[in-house]
Amino acid sequence: MSGETVRFALFAEVFAALSHPKRLEIIHYLGEGQRNAGELTELTGLSKANVSQHLSILKARGLVHCDKCGTFCHYRLTSPKVLETCEIVRQLILEQMDLTTTYRRQLAEVAPIRKDASG
């Protein structure tokens, strides 16, 4: 496998980890500060088992780290770049929404095509 192929495969794995809405929600809460699984369960409304599965995926991709403290695991983001990446995507979505709104406005201003009565 070429270096480029490996690079793109790694990108795809990280984006796959970020592709679930609940994982993004977990990242949001961890962006506010360190949390344990019980807190994330309460905040997200997911079962503890489901939160654990999502955290496992995020940990496997190096986006979240677990600090063990006795019987508790405290989760945190591995880097502020995780939130920066989410913010860049949010900005991209907003730009796309602006373009769509602009195109809709422009289309609404165009006179409709009228069929000729003889046609």
mmCIF file of all heavy atoms in Angstrom, residues 1-24:
data_model
loop_
_atom_site.group_PDB
_atom_site.id
_atom_site.type_symbol
_atom_site.label_atom_id
_atom_site.label_comp_id
_atom_site.label_asym_id
_atom_site.label_seq_id
_atom_site.Cartn_x
_atom_site.Cartn_y
_atom_site.Cartn_z
ATOM 1 N N MET A 1 0.848 -1.166 0.000
ATOM 2 C CA MET A 1 0.000 0.000 0.000
ATOM 3 C C MET A 1 0.902 1.241 0.000
ATOM 4 O O MET A 1 1.846 1.332 0.769
ATOM 5 C CB MET A 1 -0.878 -0.018 1.257
ATOM 6 C CG MET A 1 -2.175 0.673 1.050
ATOM 7 S SD MET A 1 -3.304 0.805 2.466
ATOM 8 C CE MET A 1 -3.486 -0.809 3.124
ATOM 9 N N SER A 2 0.587 2.193 -0.847
ATOM 10 C CA SER A 2 1.396 3.403 -0.939
ATOM 11 C C SER A 2 1.156 4.295 0.274
ATOM 12 O O SER A 2 0.157 4.158 0.984
ATOM 13 C CB SER A 2 1.048 4.175 -2.217
ATOM 14 O OG SER A 2 -0.186 4.844 -2.065
ATOM 15 N N GLY A 3 2.076 5.229 0.486
ATOM 16 C CA GLY A 3 1.932 6.172 1.582
ATOM 17 C C GLY A 3 0.672 6.994 1.467
ATOM 18 O O GLY A 3 0.012 7.291 2.458
ATOM 19 N N GLU A 4 0.337 7.374 0.228
ATOM 20 C CA GLU A 4 -0.885 8.153 0.010
ATOM 21 C C GLU A 4 -2.120 7.331 0.382
ATOM 22 O O GLU A 4 -3.046 7.852 1.005
ATOM 23 C CB GLU A 4 -0.988 8.598 -1.454
ATOM 24 C CG GLU A 4 0.017 9.649 -1.848
ATOM 25 C CD GLU A 4 -0.223 10.982 -1.137
ATOM 26 O OE1 GLU A 4 -1.333 11.516 -1.228
ATOM 27 O OE2 GLU A 4 0.716 11.458 -0.482
ATOM 28 N N THR A 5 -2.123 6.071 0.015
ATOM 29 C CA THR A 5 -3.261 5.203 0.322
ATOM 30 C C THR A 5 -3.424 5.059 1.827
ATOM 31 O O THR A 5 -4.543 5.137 2.347
ATOM 32 C CB THR A 5 -3.079 3.815 -0.331
ATOM 33 O OG1 THR A 5 -2.915 3.994 -1.738
ATOM 34 C CG2 THR A 5 -4.256 2.909 -0.057
ATOM 35 N N VAL A 6 -2.308 4.865 2.531
ATOM 36 C CA VAL A 6 -2.352 4.744 3.990
ATOM 37 C C VAL A 6 -2.875 6.043 4.604
ATOM 38 O O VAL A 6 -3.731 6.030 5.490
ATOM 39 C CB VAL A 6 -0.955 4.393 4.556
ATOM 40 C CG1 VAL A 6 -0.931 4.515 6.069
ATOM 41 C CG2 VAL A 6 -0.544 2.997 4.124
ATOM 42 N N ARG A 7 -2.386 7.163 4.110
ATOM 43 C CA ARG A 7 -2.813 8.456 4.632
ATOM 44 C C ARG A 7 -4.321 8.630 4.484
ATOM 45 O O ARG A 7 -5.014 9.010 5.429
ATOM 46 C CB ARG A 7 -2.083 9.581 3.900
ATOM 47 C CG ARG A 7 -2.499 10.962 4.371
ATOM 48 C CD ARG A 7 -1.672 12.031 3.720
ATOM 49 N NE ARG A 7 -2.014 12.158 2.314
ATOM 50 C CZ ARG A 7 -2.238 13.326 1.708
ATOM 51 N NH1 ARG A 7 -2.115 14.448 2.380
ATOM 52 N NH2 ARG A 7 -2.557 13.372 0.440
ATOM 53 N N PHE A 8 -4.836 8.332 3.300
ATOM 54 C CA PHE A 8 -6.275 8.506 3.072
ATOM 55 C C PHE A 8 -7.100 7.505 3.876
ATOM 56 O O PHE A 8 -8.208 7.819 4.325
ATOM 57 C CB PHE A 8 -6.600 8.445 1.579
ATOM 58 C CG PHE A 8 -6.040 9.616 0.817
ATOM 59 C CD1 PHE A 8 -5.311 9.418 -0.334
ATOM 60 C CD2 PHE A 8 -6.227 10.915 1.260
ATOM 61 C CE1 PHE A 8 -4.785 10.495 -1.045
ATOM 62 C CE2 PHE A 8 -5.706 12.002 0.576
ATOM 63 C CZ PHE A 8 -4.989 11.786 -0.585
ATOM 64 N N ALA A 9 -6.579 6.312 4.081
ATOM 65 C CA ALA A 9 -7.274 5.314 4.899
ATOM 66 C C ALA A 9 -7.365 5.793 6.351
ATOM 67 O O ALA A 9 -8.411 5.641 7.000
ATOM 68 C CB ALA A 9 -6.559 3.967 4.826
ATOM 69 N N LEU A 10 -6.292 6.392 6.853
ATOM 70 C CA LEU A 10 -6.300 6.919 8.215
ATOM 71 C C LEU A 10 -7.276 8.098 8.344
ATOM 72 O O LEU A 10 -8.004 8.201 9.332
ATOM 73 C CB LEU A 10 -4.894 7.342 8.645
ATOM 74 C CG LEU A 10 -3.898 6.196 8.843
ATOM 75 C CD1 LEU A 10 -2.484 6.733 9.050
ATOM 76 C CD2 LEU A 10 -4.314 5.305 10.001
ATOM 77 N N PHE A 11 -7.293 8.965 7.344
ATOM 78 C CA PHE A 11 -8.260 10.064 7.329
ATOM 79 C C PHE A 11 -9.674 9.494 7.406
ATOM 80 O O PHE A 11 -10.508 9.978 8.169
ATOM 81 C CB PHE A 11 -8.149 10.888 6.040
ATOM 82 C CG PHE A 11 -7.013 11.869 6.003
ATOM 83 C CD1 PHE A 11 -6.008 11.883 6.957
ATOM 84 C CD2 PHE A 11 -6.941 12.776 4.971
ATOM 85 C CE1 PHE A 11 -4.966 12.794 6.905
ATOM 86 C CE2 PHE A 11 -5.900 13.697 4.907
ATOM 87 C CZ PHE A 11 -4.913 13.710 5.876
ATOM 88 N N ALA A 12 -9.952 8.495 6.581
ATOM 89 C CA ALA A 12 -11.291 7.904 6.524
ATOM 90 C C ALA A 12 -11.690 7.318 7.873
ATOM 91 O O ALA A 12 -12.850 7.432 8.284
ATOM 92 C CB ALA A 12 -11.348 6.842 5.433
ATOM 93 N N GLU A 13 -10.748 6.701 8.575
ATOM 94 C CA GLU A 13 -11.051 6.121 9.884
ATOM 95 C C GLU A 13 -11.433 7.202 10.892
ATOM 96 O O GLU A 13 -12.370 7.033 11.670
ATOM 97 C CB GLU A 13 -9.863 5.306 10.395
ATOM 98 C CG GLU A 13 -9.679 4.003 9.652
ATOM 99 C CD GLU A 13 -8.484 3.205 10.160
ATOM 100 O OE1 GLU A 13 -7.901 3.577 11.204
ATOM 101 O OE2 GLU A 13 -8.135 2.212 9.504
ATOM 102 N N VAL A 14 -10.711 8.312 10.880
ATOM 103 C CA VAL A 14 -11.032 9.406 11.799
ATOM 104 C C VAL A 14 -12.389 10.003 11.437
ATOM 105 O O VAL A 14 -13.237 10.226 12.314
ATOM 106 C CB VAL A 14 -9.925 10.487 11.800
ATOM 107 C CG1 VAL A 14 -10.376 11.726 12.553
ATOM 108 C CG2 VAL A 14 -8.651 9.926 12.418
ATOM 109 N N PHE A 15 -12.618 10.253 10.147
ATOM 110 C CA PHE A 15 -13.908 10.812 9.747
ATOM 111 C C PHE A 15 -15.045 9.840 10.034
ATOM 112 O O PHE A 15 -16.152 10.271 10.375
ATOM 113 C CB PHE A 15 -13.891 11.243 8.283
ATOM 114 C CG PHE A 15 -13.205 12.564 8.077
ATOM 115 C CD1 PHE A 15 -12.027 12.638 7.359
ATOM 116 C CD2 PHE A 15 -13.730 13.729 8.616
ATOM 117 C CE1 PHE A 15 -11.385 13.855 7.172
ATOM 118 C CE2 PHE A 15 -13.099 14.953 8.442
ATOM 119 C CZ PHE A 15 -11.923 15.018 7.721
ATOM 120 N N ALA A 16 -14.807 8.546 9.934
ATOM 121 C CA ALA A 16 -15.834 7.564 10.273
ATOM 122 C C ALA A 16 -16.181 7.663 11.758
ATOM 123 O O ALA A 16 -17.355 7.582 12.133
ATOM 124 C CB ALA A 16 -15.366 6.153 9.922
ATOM 125 N N ALA A 17 -15.176 7.870 12.599
ATOM 126 C CA ALA A 17 -15.428 8.018 14.032
ATOM 127 C C ALA A 17 -16.234 9.286 14.310
ATOM 128 O O ALA A 17 -17.029 9.323 15.248
ATOM 129 C CB ALA A 17 -14.111 8.051 14.804
ATOM 130 N N LEU A 18 -16.043 10.300 13.499
ATOM 131 C CA LEU A 18 -16.761 11.569 13.675
ATOM 132 C C LEU A 18 -18.119 11.585 12.966
ATOM 133 O O LEU A 18 -18.838 12.574 13.046
ATOM 134 C CB LEU A 18 -15.907 12.731 13.136
ATOM 135 C CG LEU A 18 -14.612 13.011 13.880
ATOM 136 C CD1 LEU A 18 -13.787 14.037 13.119
ATOM 137 C CD2 LEU A 18 -14.885 13.468 15.298
ATOM 138 N N SER A 19 -18.471 10.495 12.311
ATOM 139 C CA SER A 19 -19.660 10.510 11.459
ATOM 140 C C SER A 19 -20.971 10.215 12.186
ATOM 141 O O SER A 19 -22.028 10.254 11.570
ATOM 142 C CB SER A 19 -19.489 9.508 10.306
ATOM 143 O OG SER A 19 -19.528 8.182 10.797
ATOM 144 N N HIS A 20 -20.920 9.932 13.475
ATOM 145 C CA HIS A 20 -22.154 9.622 14.209
ATOM 146 C C HIS A 20 -22.567 10.820 15.067
ATOM 147 O O HIS A 20 -21.753 11.368 15.807
ATOM 148 C CB HIS A 20 -21.932 8.400 15.096
ATOM 149 C CG HIS A 20 -23.195 7.812 15.601
ATOM 150 N ND1 HIS A 20 -23.934 8.377 16.620
ATOM 151 C CD2 HIS A 20 -23.877 6.705 15.212
ATOM 152 C CE1 HIS A 20 -25.002 7.644 16.848
ATOM 153 N NE2 HIS A 20 -24.997 6.634 16.003
ATOM 154 N N PRO A 21 -23.840 11.229 14.982
ATOM 155 C CA PRO A 21 -24.289 12.401 15.751
ATOM 156 C C PRO A 21 -24.047 12.291 17.259
ATOM 157 O O PRO A 21 -23.680 13.270 17.899
ATOM 158 C CB PRO A 21 -25.787 12.485 15.458
ATOM 159 C CG PRO A 21 -25.989 11.716 14.205
ATOM 160 C CD PRO A 21 -24.907 10.671 14.145
ATOM 161 N N LYS A 22 -24.237 11.125 17.829
ATOM 162 C CA LYS A 22 -24.039 10.980 19.278
ATOM 163 C C LYS A 22 -22.555 11.061 19.640
ATOM 164 O O LYS A 22 -22.209 11.565 20.705
ATOM 165 C CB LYS A 22 -24.662 9.678 19.802
ATOM 166 C CG LYS A 22 -26.174 9.748 19.889
ATOM 167 C CD LYS A 22 -26.617 10.815 20.891
ATOM 168 C CE LYS A 22 -28.117 10.871 21.046
ATOM 169 N NZ LYS A 22 -28.550 11.872 22.028
ATOM 170 N N ARG A 23 -21.677 10.591 18.761
ATOM 171 C CA ARG A 23 -20.241 10.734 19.038
ATOM 172 C C ARG A 23 -19.852 12.207 18.984
ATOM 173 O O ARG A 23 -19.040 12.678 19.783
ATOM 174 C CB ARG A 23 -19.412 9.885 18.079
ATOM 175 C CG ARG A 23 -19.498 8.404 18.403
ATOM 176 C CD ARG A 23 -18.401 7.596 17.754
ATOM 177 N NE ARG A 23 -18.592 7.387 16.344
ATOM 178 C CZ ARG A 23 -19.289 6.391 15.805
ATOM 179 N NH1 ARG A 23 -19.895 5.508 16.566
ATOM 180 N NH2 ARG A 23 -19.386 6.271 14.498
ATOM 181 N N LEU A 24 -20.442 12.942 18.054
ATOM 182 C CA LEU A 24 -20.184 14.383 17.998
ATOM 183 C C LEU A 24 -20.723 15.074 19.251
ATOM 184 O O LEU A 24 -20.095 16.002 19.771
ATOM 185 C CB LEU A 24 -20.801 14.986 16.732
ATOM 186 C CG LEU A 24 -20.130 14.570 15.433
ATOM 187 C CD1 LEU A 24 -20.951 15.035 14.240
ATOM 188 C CD2 LEU A 24 -18.710 15.092 15.355
#
